[in-house]
Amino acid sequence: MIMFTPSTPYVPGTYAKKRPEAGRVAAQYVQEWEARRQRLSQKKTAAPEIPPCICFSRKVGVGALEVADILSRKLHMRVADREILEHMSGETRLDKETVKFYDELYPGKTVELSALLFGKKSFQMDDYLRNLVNAVYSIAAIGSTIFVGRGTHLILPRDRVLAVRLICSDGFRTERLASLLKIGAEEAGRTLSKIDREQKAFFKKAFGKKDAPASEFDLVVNFDHLADPRLAADVVARCFRKKFGIAAE
């Protein structure tokens, strides 16, 4: 199993995104799921319960990947971020047999999800969203996973998820991005505005939602007041263990 473990010690404020290439990781996840599919097909057993997962929803630039990587080491869980999910939903597709098996294993799940999200306005999901749902369930079924982005807390069974929202002020995000990319605050602000528009458009199209209310989540962490990613990871880890009855090591 691939784990995202930075090769250098973590130093607050100097996080370097030294992560495996998304395409390679996505391909590895696909291989793991397809191997699991074959084993389940041979046994012809009922759909296994989704292992407990953590789903991060965040304002882009708050530092969710930092927290996820720390948690990955602390809880021995894999990380699936937006980039990996994009590959699995687009470039590194699950093969047709896998998608067919998924539909048989979780019958009506995409229809059920569509109805849950859109109510009476339920409609057939487009190919991208359907592939995204398949990818999220496939990764989650392999083992406990930390998901970052793409509304995964809205896709997976709510009782199998610790849903966490990471927020901060625009000033915090702008300062952080400018520092990481070595650019001016004005350029960083423009970059974040563009990303925010794209994120908002995605959630409106995919889930029919304009925002992410606090009531959707188990926990909301405000980085303006809890800025240390290690402390945030400790809080999330404690909540995760308590919610799912997992003993601390």
Side-chain angles (χ1 to χ4, degrees):
M1 180 177 75
I2 294 176
M3 301 292 289
F4 292 101
T5 304
S7 57
T8 56
Y10 168 68
V11 179
T14 60
Y15 183 68
K17 188 181 177 183
K18 296 180 179 179
R19 308 170 67 79
E21 183 183 351
R24 179 172 66 83
V25 178
Q28 177 64 32
Y29 286 171
V30 168
Q31 289 175 7
E32 287 186 46
W33 166 249
E34 290 179 352
R36 180 173 174 78
R37 170 178 67 83
Q38 292 176 4
R39 292 194 299 271
L40 290 173
S41 295
Q42 292 170 358
K43 294 180 180 179
K44 296 182 179 180
T45 57
E49 186 175 47
I50 296 294
C53 293
I54 297 172
C55 292
F56 281 122
S57 170
R58 85 288 194 220
K59 297 192 72 172
V60 174
V62 70
L65 287 175
E66 239 173 313
V67 180
D69 283 345
I70 296 169
L71 276 172
S72 177
R73 296 193 300 269
K74 184 182 293 288
L75 298 175
H76 308 293
M77 292 167 64
R78 71 183 71 227
V79 175
D81 63 13
R82 170 184 171 174
E83 201 172 357
I84 292 170
L85 292 173
E86 288 288 329
H87 272 274
M88 291 187 69
S89 304
E91 298 174 30
T92 311
R93 295 282 182 86
L94 299 168
D95 66 26
K96 292 182 179 179
E97 284 300 313
T98 291
V99 173
K100 179 182 177 182
F101 179 75
Y102 163 85
D103 288 335
E104 292 173 352
L105 199 61
Y106 302 101
K109 181 54 64 178
T110 52
V111 175
E112 175 188 327
L113 179 61
S114 179
L116 178 64
L117 294 174
F118 302 106
K120 293 181 180 179
K121 296 181 180 179
S122 176
F123 58 87
Q124 186 66 34
M125 292 183 182
D126 62 22
D127 287 343
Y128 172 80
L129 186 54
R130 183 180 178 82
N131 287 331
L132 175 63
V133 172
N134 288 339
V136 169
Y137 264 85
S138 298
I139 294 174
I142 298 171
S144 290
T145 303
I146 302 166
F147 290 95
V148 180
R150 297 289 89 174
T152 50
H153 69 289
L154 299 171
I155 295 174
L156 291 170
R158 189 62 179 81
D159 63 343
R160 307 307 296 161
V161 165
L162 178 74
V164 182
R165 176 73 171 166
L166 303 181
I167 63 172
C168 65
S169 64
D170 289 342
F172 181 98
R173 292 194 300 155
T174 299
E175 182 178 345
R176 182 175 180 276
L177 188 66
S179 175
L180 288 173
L181 299 183
K182 309 300 181 185
I183 58 177
E186 187 175 341
E187 183 180 352
R190 287 197 301 269
T191 299
L192 286 172
S193 293
K194 179 176 182 294
I195 293 172
D196 286 346
R197 288 194 299 271
E198 292 172 350
Q199 186 183 50
K200 186 175 181 179
F202 166 77
F203 272 86
K204 184 177 181 180
K205 179 180 179 181
F207 303 113
K209 300 177 69 66
K210 294 181 180 180
D211 54 21
S215 58
E216 286 183 359
F217 304 94
D218 298 281
L219 176 68
V220 177
V221 179
N222 189 333
F223 271 66
D224 287 316
H225 307 295
L226 194 71
D228 187 343
R230 294 170 299 184
L231 180 55
D234 286 343
V235 171
V236 174
R238 182 174 177 81
C239 289
F240 178 74
R241 288 172 175 144
K242 284 289 185 180
K243 179 170 183 175
F244 296 107
I246 300 171
E249 295 181 355

